[in-house]
Amino acid sequence: MKNLKKNSANNFQSDFKAKKSLGQNFLHAPQVISAMVHAGEISKESTVLEIGPGKGVLTEKLLLTEANIIAIEKDDRAISFLKEKFDKEIKNGKLKLIHGDILEFDEIELEKYIIIANIPYYITGEFMRKFLETENQPERIVVTLQKEVAKRIVDKKESILSISVKAYGNPRYLMTVPKKFFRPMPNVDSAVLIIDNISKKFFTDSKIDEKSFFEILKAGFAHKRKVLIRNLEEKIPKKTLEMIWGREGISKNIRAENVTLEMWKRIVGESFLS
Ligand code: SAH
């Protein structure tokens, strides 16, 4: 009997230890998992890209929606584990498991897709840039990230980060996820952030070039102590700025953190015109 048990355990990749280098903190909170799936507004017809499925807790709930799930995972141990766990769903074509690093995928050949992910914190920035800036953007992103970062994205006080996200979609803070909900437990709390209505409309409607927009945005935030108009003088002629400030009735003392996306559109748009 003992032998039998041992054999069956050997055949099955029953579990694996969390690897710090892969940022593995597994979610143990059914309510958070359900809330993330719900926030995805997934229907049977949806295509969902899950990043970093790990041991498949989210994948499992995603499969219940009967959508088509594509899951990309970097860890080969997790891949063997998931292959066993979701054997049936892989065979019936509902789940496609891809072994790879999400940051190395150049082309995402999916149409109208939704991203759901609980990924390591150290790839959040690169992941967001990649999927917000790509020509083939997802419709919606539901992602866990550090609480402080999520708060900064939705804070009334704007930052390069918050404006960059808002230029592509509507971010919403769904819920805080205390660190104790993860195993192993990370050092900081997390939050679930939703970015809805993702598109390039902001740029196409305003005819503002993406690259120039971000260059000007960065310049606007360059020196914290300086007011916006002084910061922007590095990029835009002073005369043009004074004309825009006058026309738009902007206070000379305004700082970048108090400038909304709509105002940025007018400032950058008008500076191109003149
Ligand atoms: N989503 C699971 C696992 C979270 S841990 C859960 O909620 O429990 C983060 C997962 O992302 C791990 O499985 C890790 O192996 C994977 N991962 C880390 N870097 C990755 C990358 N660059 N591309 C794809 N997956 C990655």
Side-chain angles (χ1 to χ4, degrees):
M1 200 54 201
K2 244 185 174 173
N3 264 340
L4 235 167
K5 251 193 181 158
K6 213 171 164 194
N7 278 340
S8 60
N10 277 346
N11 292 335
F12 187 65
Q13 173 83 44
S14 58
D15 209 351
F16 56 93
K17 261 184 125 175
K19 244 189 207 167
K20 221 176 171 178
S21 62
L22 282 167
Q24 292 180 340
N25 298 100
F26 302 108
L27 198 47
H28 287 268
Q31 69 277 33
V32 177
I33 294 163
S34 301
M36 286 180 79
V37 174
H38 187 72
E41 295 177 38
I42 301 162
S43 74
K44 257 185 175 171
E45 286 71 42
S46 307
T47 301
V48 179
L49 176 62
E50 190 196 350
I51 299 161
K55 294 184 186 179
V57 286
L58 256 166
T59 324
E60 203 172 326
K61 286 283 176 285
L62 287 170
L63 284 163
L64 295 178
T65 66
E66 295 184 47
N68 287 308
I69 318 291
I70 294 137
I72 300 184
E73 171 58 60
K74 192 172 174 182
D75 187 355
D76 51 356
R77 301 168 313 155
I79 289 285
S80 332
F81 180 88
L82 295 165
K83 271 190 181 154
E84 293 270 2
K85 181 167 178 173
F86 298 117
D87 181 52
K88 191 176 103 230
E89 291 82 356
I90 293 170
K91 285 196 176 122
N92 72 22
K94 275 300 186 189
L95 174 65
K96 198 170 160 199
L97 205 54
I98 300 172
H99 184 201
D101 182 329
I102 190 61
L103 303 176
E104 282 169 13
F105 278 79
D106 288 335
E107 294 281 330
I108 304 294
E109 283 167 2
L110 298 174
E111 262 177 66
K112 273 178 75 84
Y113 64 105
I114 298 162
I115 292 185
I116 309 251
N118 169 27
I119 44 167
Y121 298 148
Y122 59 80
I123 69 169
T124 313
E126 205 175 332
F127 155 78
M128 296 264 250
R129 265 196 303 280
K130 183 180 179 95
F131 284 98
L132 291 177
E133 289 175 11
T134 175
E135 286 308 316
N136 184 22
Q137 297 162 303
E139 291 178 275
R140 181 175 305 112
I141 295 177
V142 180
V143 66
T144 53
L145 68 179
Q146 285 189 37
K147 185 172 90 179
E148 295 316 317
V149 179
K151 288 230 151 122
R152 248 181 41 230
I153 294 175
V154 295
D155 197 26
K156 272 214 289 292
K157 220 163 101 184
E158 303 288 0
S159 58
I160 295 179
L161 176 68
S162 68
I163 294 289
S164 305
V165 173
K166 289 173 189 170
Y168 293 105
N170 306 124
R172 264 187 303 138
Y173 188 99
L174 183 69
M175 67 200 294
T176 301
V177 189
K179 57 187 178 188
K180 64 167 195 248
F181 286 173
F182 297 91
R183 275 183 227 144
M185 191 169 81
N187 294 326
V188 294
D189 288 336
S190 296
V192 178
L193 186 83
I194 307 168
I195 309 173
D196 247 324
N197 298 320
I198 298 174
S199 77
K200 298 235 178 182
K201 230 170 148 330
F202 175 81
F203 299 100
T204 48
D205 284 1
S206 62
K207 299 196 171 60
I208 295 173
D209 167 62
E210 275 178 75
K211 200 167 158 255
S212 320
F213 179 77
F214 289 113
E215 266 175 35
I216 295 176
L217 182 70
K218 273 187 200 135
F221 281 93
H223 306 284
K224 262 197 147 176
R225 292 219 177 79
K226 284 194 195 171
V227 294
L228 178 64
I229 195 162
R230 293 281 95 77
N231 271 330
L232 289 184
E233 277 170 15
E234 308 258 332
K235 291 272 166 199
I236 303 167
K238 199 171 168 175
K239 263 178 96 178
T240 309
L241 288 168
E242 281 170 355
M243 191 196 69
I244 298 171
W245 256 238
R247 197 188 295 162
E248 296 289 338
I250 305 172
S251 155
K252 284 249 184 279
N253 297 324
I254 202 164
R255 288 173 193 279
E257 64 188 43
N258 296 319
V259 176
T260 61
L261 180 68
E262 267 311 301
M263 273 167 86
W264 274 110
K265 188 200 265 183
R266 300 211 291 272
I267 293 169
V268 180
E270 290 197 39
S271 70
F272 281 157
L273 288 178
S274 23

mmCIF file with all atom_site columns, all heavy atoms in Angstrom, residues 227-229 245-246 248-255 259 263:
data_model
loop_
_atom_site.group_PDB
_atom_site.id
_atom_site.type_symbol
_atom_site.label_atom_id
_atom_site.label_alt_id
_atom_site.label_comp_id
_atom_site.label_asym_id
_atom_site.label_entity_id
_atom_site.label_seq_id
_atom_site.pdbx_PDB_ins_code
_atom_site.Cartn_x
_atom_site.Cartn_y
_atom_site.Cartn_z
_atom_site.occupancy
_atom_site.B_iso_or_equiv
_atom_site.pdbx_formal_charge
_atom_site.auth_seq_id
_atom_site.auth_comp_id
_atom_site.auth_asym_id
_atom_site.auth_atom_id
_atom_site.pdbx_PDB_model_num
ATOM 1   N N   . VAL A 1 227 ? 6.415  74.951 -10.731 1.00 0.00 ? 227 VAL A N   1
ATOM 2   C CA  . VAL A 1 227 ? 5.044  74.925 -11.247 1.00 0.00 ? 227 VAL A CA  1
ATOM 3   C C   . VAL A 1 227 ? 5.090  74.351 -12.666 1.00 0.00 ? 227 VAL A C   1
ATOM 4   O O   . VAL A 1 227 ? 6.140  74.325 -13.313 1.00 0.00 ? 227 VAL A O   1
ATOM 5   C CB  . VAL A 1 227 ? 4.389  76.336 -11.234 1.00 0.00 ? 227 VAL A CB  1
ATOM 6   C CG1 . VAL A 1 227 ? 4.216  76.815 -9.811  1.00 0.00 ? 227 VAL A CG1 1
ATOM 7   C CG2 . VAL A 1 227 ? 5.188  77.318 -12.075 1.00 0.00 ? 227 VAL A CG2 1
ATOM 8   N N   . LEU A 1 228 ? 3.943  73.916 -13.146 1.00 0.00 ? 228 LEU A N   1
ATOM 9   C CA  . LEU A 1 228 ? 3.904  73.211 -14.435 1.00 0.00 ? 228 LEU A CA  1
ATOM 10  C C   . LEU A 1 228 ? 4.486  74.026 -15.589 1.00 0.00 ? 228 LEU A C   1
ATOM 11  O O   . LEU A 1 228 ? 5.281  73.528 -16.380 1.00 0.00 ? 228 LEU A O   1
ATOM 12  C CB  . LEU A 1 228 ? 2.460  72.803 -14.748 1.00 0.00 ? 228 LEU A CB  1
ATOM 13  C CG  . LEU A 1 228 ? 2.266  72.095 -16.093 1.00 0.00 ? 228 LEU A CG  1
ATOM 14  C CD1 . LEU A 1 228 ? 3.004  70.762 -16.128 1.00 0.00 ? 228 LEU A CD1 1
ATOM 15  C CD2 . LEU A 1 228 ? 0.783  71.869 -16.382 1.00 0.00 ? 228 LEU A CD2 1
ATOM 16  N N   . ILE A 1 229 ? 4.087  75.287 -15.641 1.00 0.00 ? 229 ILE A N   1
ATOM 17  C CA  . ILE A 1 229 ? 4.511  76.093 -16.791 1.00 0.00 ? 229 ILE A CA  1
ATOM 18  C C   . ILE A 1 229 ? 6.051  76.191 -16.878 1.00 0.00 ? 229 ILE A C   1
ATOM 19  O O   . ILE A 1 229 ? 6.621  76.128 -17.960 1.00 0.00 ? 229 ILE A O   1
ATOM 20  C CB  . ILE A 1 229 ? 3.810  77.482 -16.794 1.00 0.00 ? 229 ILE A CB  1
ATOM 21  C CG1 . ILE A 1 229 ? 3.954  78.150 -18.159 1.00 0.00 ? 229 ILE A CG1 1
ATOM 22  C CG2 . ILE A 1 229 ? 4.271  78.366 -15.650 1.00 0.00 ? 229 ILE A CG2 1
ATOM 23  C CD1 . ILE A 1 229 ? 2.953  79.294 -18.408 1.00 0.00 ? 229 ILE A CD1 1
ATOM 24  N N   . TRP A 1 245 ? -1.966 79.185 -21.555 1.00 0.00 ? 245 TRP A N   1
ATOM 25  C CA  . TRP A 1 245 ? -2.403 79.455 -20.166 1.00 0.00 ? 245 TRP A CA  1
ATOM 26  C C   . TRP A 1 245 ? -3.464 80.571 -20.151 1.00 0.00 ? 245 TRP A C   1
ATOM 27  O O   . TRP A 1 245 ? -4.455 80.483 -19.450 1.00 0.00 ? 245 TRP A O   1
ATOM 28  C CB  . TRP A 1 245 ? -1.201 79.820 -19.292 1.00 0.00 ? 245 TRP A CB  1
ATOM 29  C CG  . TRP A 1 245 ? -0.729 78.732 -18.380 1.00 0.00 ? 245 TRP A CG  1
ATOM 30  C CD1 . TRP A 1 245 ? -0.630 78.817 -17.020 1.00 0.00 ? 245 TRP A CD1 1
ATOM 31  C CD2 . TRP A 1 245 ? -0.294 77.409 -18.724 1.00 0.00 ? 245 TRP A CD2 1
ATOM 32  N NE1 . TRP A 1 245 ? -0.168 77.619 -16.510 1.00 0.00 ? 245 TRP A NE1 1
ATOM 33  C CE2 . TRP A 1 245 ? 0.053  76.743 -17.518 1.00 0.00 ? 245 TRP A CE2 1
ATOM 34  C CE3 . TRP A 1 245 ? -0.165 76.710 -19.923 1.00 0.00 ? 245 TRP A CE3 1
ATOM 35  C CZ2 . TRP A 1 245 ? 0.510  75.423 -17.474 1.00 0.00 ? 245 TRP A CZ2 1
ATOM 36  C CZ3 . TRP A 1 245 ? 0.290  75.391 -19.887 1.00 0.00 ? 245 TRP A CZ3 1
ATOM 37  C CH2 . TRP A 1 245 ? 0.619  74.755 -18.679 1.00 0.00 ? 245 TRP A CH2 1
ATOM 38  N N   . GLY A 1 246 ? -3.221 81.571 -20.976 1.00 0.00 ? 246 GLY A N   1
ATOM 39  C CA  . GLY A 1 246 ? -4.164 82.695 -21.055 1.00 0.00 ? 246 GLY A CA  1
ATOM 40  C C   . GLY A 1 246 ? -5.486 82.241 -21.646 1.00 0.00 ? 246 GLY A C   1
ATOM 41  O O   . GLY A 1 246 ? -6.554 82.491 -21.087 1.00 0.00 ? 246 GLY A O   1
ATOM 42  N N   . GLU A 1 248 ? -6.801 79.279 -21.937 1.00 0.00 ? 248 GLU A N   1
ATOM 43  C CA  . GLU A 1 248 ? -7.526 78.271 -21.156 1.00 0.00 ? 248 GLU A CA  1
ATOM 44  C C   . GLU A 1 248 ? -7.849 78.758 -19.734 1.00 0.00 ? 248 GLU A C   1
ATOM 45  O O   . GLU A 1 248 ? -8.524 78.063 -18.980 1.00 0.00 ? 248 GLU A O   1
ATOM 46  C CB  . GLU A 1 248 ? -6.705 76.979 -21.061 1.00 0.00 ? 248 GLU A CB  1
ATOM 47  C CG  . GLU A 1 248 ? -6.473 76.277 -22.401 1.00 0.00 ? 248 GLU A CG  1
ATOM 48  C CD  . GLU A 1 248 ? -7.735 75.634 -22.948 1.00 0.00 ? 248 GLU A CD  1
ATOM 49  O OE1 . GLU A 1 248 ? -8.655 75.352 -22.164 1.00 0.00 ? 248 GLU A OE1 1
ATOM 50  O OE2 . GLU A 1 248 ? -7.812 75.434 -24.172 1.00 0.00 ? 248 GLU A OE2 1
ATOM 51  N N   . GLY A 1 249 ? -7.340 79.922 -19.404 1.00 0.00 ? 249 GLY A N   1
ATOM 52  C CA  . GLY A 1 249 ? -7.571 80.457 -18.055 1.00 0.00 ? 249 GLY A CA  1
ATOM 53  C C   . GLY A 1 249 ? -6.965 79.582 -16.964 1.00 0.00 ? 249 GLY A C   1
ATOM 54  O O   . GLY A 1 249 ? -7.550 79.378 -15.903 1.00 0.00 ? 249 GLY A O   1
ATOM 55  N N   . ILE A 1 250 ? -5.765 79.065 -17.241 1.00 0.00 ? 250 ILE A N   1
ATOM 56  C CA  . ILE A 1 250 ? -5.096 78.205 -16.256 1.00 0.00 ? 250 ILE A CA  1
ATOM 57  C C   . ILE A 1 250 ? -4.282 79.082 -15.291 1.00 0.00 ? 250 ILE A C   1
ATOM 58  O O   . ILE A 1 250 ? -3.634 80.032 -15.728 1.00 0.00 ? 250 ILE A O   1
ATOM 59  C CB  . ILE A 1 250 ? -4.150 77.198 -16.960 1.00 0.00 ? 250 ILE A CB  1
ATOM 60  C CG1 . ILE A 1 250 ? -4.909 76.384 -18.018 1.00 0.00 ? 250 ILE A CG1 1
ATOM 61  C CG2 . ILE A 1 250 ? -3.472 76.265 -15.959 1.00 0.00 ? 250 ILE A CG2 1
ATOM 62  C CD1 . ILE A 1 250 ? -4.011 75.505 -18.890 1.00 0.00 ? 250 ILE A CD1 1
ATOM 63  N N   . SER A 1 251 ? -4.320 78.733 -14.017 1.00 0.00 ? 251 SER A N   1
ATOM 64  C CA  . SER A 1 251 ? -3.546 79.497 -13.038 1.00 0.00 ? 251 SER A CA  1
ATOM 65  C C   . SER A 1 251 ? -2.048 79.288 -13.278 1.00 0.00 ? 251 SER A C   1
ATOM 66  O O   . SER A 1 251 ? -1.601 78.174 -13.532 1.00 0.00 ? 251 SER A O   1
ATOM 67  C CB  . SER A 1 251 ? -3.910 79.035 -11.627 1.00 0.00 ? 251 SER A CB  1
ATOM 68  O OG  . SER A 1 251 ? -2.837 79.300 -10.749 1.00 0.00 ? 251 SER A OG  1
ATOM 69  N N   . LYS A 1 252 ? -1.305 80.364 -13.157 1.00 0.00 ? 252 LYS A N   1
ATOM 70  C CA  . LYS A 1 252 ? 0.154  80.308 -13.348 1.00 0.00 ? 252 LYS A CA  1
ATOM 71  C C   . LYS A 1 252 ? 0.826  79.396 -12.318 1.00 0.00 ? 252 LYS A C   1
ATOM 72  O O   . LYS A 1 252 ? 1.923  78.903 -12.519 1.00 0.00 ? 252 LYS A O   1
ATOM 73  C CB  . LYS A 1 252 ? 0.752  81.715 -13.222 1.00 0.00 ? 252 LYS A CB  1
ATOM 74  C CG  . LYS A 1 252 ? 0.528  82.588 -14.425 1.00 0.00 ? 252 LYS A CG  1
ATOM 75  C CD  . LYS A 1 252 ? 1.856  82.818 -15.129 1.00 0.00 ? 252 LYS A CD  1
ATOM 76  C CE  . LYS A 1 252 ? 1.815  83.744 -16.293 1.00 0.00 ? 252 LYS A CE  1
ATOM 77  N NZ  . LYS A 1 252 ? 1.503  83.683 -17.497 1.00 0.00 ? 252 LYS A NZ  1
ATOM 78  N N   . ASN A 1 253 ? 0.124  79.236 -11.192 1.00 0.00 ? 253 ASN A N   1
ATOM 79  C CA  . ASN A 1 253 ? 0.720  78.452 -10.099 1.00 0.00 ? 253 ASN A CA  1
ATOM 80  C C   . ASN A 1 253 ? 0.387  76.969 -10.154 1.00 0.00 ? 253 ASN A C   1
ATOM 81  O O   . ASN A 1 253 ? 0.780  76.215 -9.267  1.00 0.00 ? 253 ASN A O   1
ATOM 82  C CB  . ASN A 1 253 ? 0.252  78.999 -8.753  1.00 0.00 ? 253 ASN A CB  1
ATOM 83  C CG  . ASN A 1 253 ? 0.732  80.414 -8.552  1.00 0.00 ? 253 ASN A CG  1
ATOM 84  O OD1 . ASN A 1 253 ? 1.843  80.739 -8.985  1.00 0.00 ? 253 ASN A OD1 1
ATOM 85  N ND2 . ASN A 1 253 ? -0.082 81.245 -7.949  1.00 0.00 ? 253 ASN A ND2 1
ATOM 86  N N   . ILE A 1 254 ? -0.345 76.575 -11.159 1.00 0.00 ? 254 ILE A N   1
ATOM 87  C CA  . ILE A 1 254 ? -0.791 75.177 -11.175 1.00 0.00 ? 254 ILE A CA  1
ATOM 88  C C   . ILE A 1 254 ? 0.400  74.216 -11.277 1.00 0.00 ? 254 ILE A C   1
ATOM 89  O O   . ILE A 1 254 ? 1.385  74.489 -11.977 1.00 0.00 ? 254 ILE A O   1
ATOM 90  C CB  . ILE A 1 254 ? -1.834 74.915 -12.298 1.00 0.00 ? 254 ILE A CB  1
ATOM 91  C CG1 . ILE A 1 254 ? -2.662 73.674 -11.951 1.00 0.00 ? 254 ILE A CG1 1
ATOM 92  C CG2 . ILE A 1 254 ? -1.165 74.746 -13.663 1.00 0.00 ? 254 ILE A CG2 1
ATOM 93  C CD1 . ILE A 1 254 ? -3.938 73.546 -12.762 1.00 0.00 ? 254 ILE A CD1 1
ATOM 94  N N   . ARG A 1 255 ? 0.305  73.120 -10.528 1.00 0.00 ? 255 ARG A N   1
ATOM 95  C CA  . ARG A 1 255 ? 1.350  72.097 -10.564 1.00 0.00 ? 255 ARG A CA  1
ATOM 96  C C   . ARG A 1 255 ? 0.839  70.884 -11.322 1.00 0.00 ? 255 ARG A C   1
ATOM 97  O O   . ARG A 1 255 ? -0.374 70.657 -11.395 1.00 0.00 ? 255 ARG A O   1
ATOM 98  C CB  . ARG A 1 255 ? 1.738  71.682 -9.147  1.00 0.00 ? 255 ARG A CB  1
ATOM 99  C CG  . ARG A 1 255 ? 2.518  72.750 -8.459  1.00 0.00 ? 255 ARG A CG  1
ATOM 100 C CD  . ARG A 1 255 ? 2.803  72.498 -7.002  1.00 0.00 ? 255 ARG A CD  1
ATOM 101 N NE  . ARG A 1 255 ? 3.285  73.749 -6.421  1.00 0.00 ? 255 ARG A NE  1
ATOM 102 C CZ  . ARG A 1 255 ? 4.540  74.163 -6.530  1.00 0.00 ? 255 ARG A CZ  1
ATOM 103 N NH1 . ARG A 1 255 ? 5.453  73.425 -7.133  1.00 0.00 ? 255 ARG A NH1 1
ATOM 104 N NH2 . ARG A 1 255 ? 4.906  75.322 -6.010  1.00 0.00 ? 255 ARG A NH2 1
ATOM 105 N N   . VAL A 1 259 ? -3.303 68.692 -12.657 1.00 0.00 ? 259 VAL A N   1
ATOM 106 C CA  . VAL A 1 259 ? -3.754 68.793 -14.048 1.00 0.00 ? 259 VAL A CA  1
ATOM 107 C C   . VAL A 1 259 ? -4.395 67.472 -14.479 1.00 0.00 ? 259 VAL A C   1
ATOM 108 O O   . VAL A 1 259 ? -3.774 66.416 -14.413 1.00 0.00 ? 259 VAL A O   1
ATOM 109 C CB  . VAL A 1 259 ? -2.560 69.157 -14.965 1.00 0.00 ? 259 VAL A CB  1
ATOM 110 C CG1 . VAL A 1 259 ? -2.976 69.168 -16.417 1.00 0.00 ? 259 VAL A CG1 1
ATOM 111 C CG2 . VAL A 1 259 ? -2.010 70.516 -14.559 1.00 0.00 ? 259 VAL A CG2 1
ATOM 112 N N   . MET A 1 263 ? -7.181 68.350 -19.306 1.00 0.00 ? 263 MET A N   1
ATOM 113 C CA  . MET A 1 263 ? -6.363 69.560 -19.423 1.00 0.00 ? 263 MET A CA  1
ATOM 114 C C   . MET A 1 263 ? -5.063 69.278 -20.165 1.00 0.00 ? 263 MET A C   1
ATOM 115 O O   . MET A 1 263 ? -4.602 70.091 -20.956 1.00 0.00 ? 263 MET A O   1
ATOM 116 C CB  . MET A 1 263 ? -6.076 70.131 -18.032 1.00 0.00 ? 263 MET A CB  1
ATOM 117 C CG  . MET A 1 263 ? -7.175 71.074 -17.565 1.00 0.00 ? 263 MET A CG  1
ATOM 118 S SD  . MET A 1 263 ? -7.003 71.423 -15.822 1.00 0.00 ? 263 MET A SD  1
ATOM 119 C CE  . MET A 1 263 ? -5.852 72.785 -15.840 1.00 0.00 ? 263 MET A CE  1
#
